[in-house]
Amino acid sequence: MGKRAIYPGSFDPVTYGHLDIIDRSSKIFDEIIVGVLNNRQKNPLFSVDERVSMISGLVQKYPNVRVDSFDGLLIDYAKEISADIIIRGLRAITDFEYELQIAQTNRVESGNLDTIFLTTSLNYSYLSSTIVKEFASYGADISKFVPEEVVPLIEQKYKNMR
Ligand code: ADP
């Protein structure tokens, strides 16, 4: 049986940083499930269905990547889909403390689920969905941060808010 990994996140919106992690992990693991978190505490720009369809369109070229959504605990979802490994991206030292806590808690709670961290490619190390949204909200050019298919979707959201 091959290794099935889950790459969880909010992906609100998906950026080149996320896609870089998907690209690299698709070469390491047999199967990747991109798990879009339906986070009730956050007030997302895109609905979970919008995020799933946005990412699905961008990962069609990978036969071993599929996109799904989940809510509740990541370890429960991982068990449900029989994932062996969690993938997370690490940008800067600021990500580290939180990610370490979550990874260790998940391992203790689940008994066996390990988290593998991929460090970002240098050119995306500064990128976050939050910053992309902040720039887009002021009408700035975001074409260096997200794929061209995603740019108009974000712009439209902010146009509707003005
Ligand atoms: P969260 O799960 O905290 O809501 P995101 O949806 O923004 O976060 O990110 C999902 C995963 O992708 C996390 O592991 C995060 O560290 C990683 N990630 C976010 N931005 C980048 C980037 N620019 N390069 C690499 N990994 C990233």
Side-chain angles (χ1 to χ4, degrees), residues 124-145:
Y124 301 131
S125 59
Y126 60 88
L127 246 190
S128 77
S129 299
T130 306
I131 303 266
V132 169
K133 283 185 278 196
E134 194 163 330
F135 270 65
S137 74
Y138 291 105
D141 176 14
I142 49 167
S143 60
K144 289 198 180 71
F145 311 139

Side-chain angles (χ1 to χ4, degrees), residues 7-11 17-18 21 42 88-89 91 120 124 127 129:
Y7 177 39
S10 308
F11 307 104
H18 299 130
I21 298 287
K42 290 186 185 172
R88 294 286 286 174
R91 282 164 296 192
T120 42
Y124 301 131
L127 246 190
S129 299

Side-chain angles (χ1 to χ4, degrees), residues 92-108:
I93 197 82
T94 42
D95 282 342
F96 183 74
E97 205 171 318
Y98 174 75
E99 293 293 340
L100 186 70
Q101 279 182 353
I102 289 275
Q104 284 173 339
T105 311
N106 282 341
R107 186 159 163 61
V108 171

Side-chain angles (χ1 to χ4, degrees), residues 8-62:
S10 308
F11 307 104
D12 183 43
V14 67
T15 68
Y16 280 133
H18 299 130
L19 293 168
D20 175 58
I21 298 287
I22 293 171
D23 180 69
R24 286 157 57 204
S25 39
S26 75
K27 294 169 190 147
I28 302 173
F29 301 101
D30 298 298
E31 206 184 328
I32 308 288
I33 290 113
V34 180
V36 179
L37 177 64
N38 196 357
N39 192 336
R40 290 183 219 112
Q41 274 141 30
K42 290 186 185 172
N43 184 16
L45 183 63
F46 290 97
S47 73
V48 79
D49 292 340
E50 286 174 321
R51 283 176 271 153
V52 167
S53 86
M54 197 186 295
I55 304 168
S56 301
L58 296 164
V59 301
Q60 272 174 11
K61 60 184 165 193
Y62 304 105

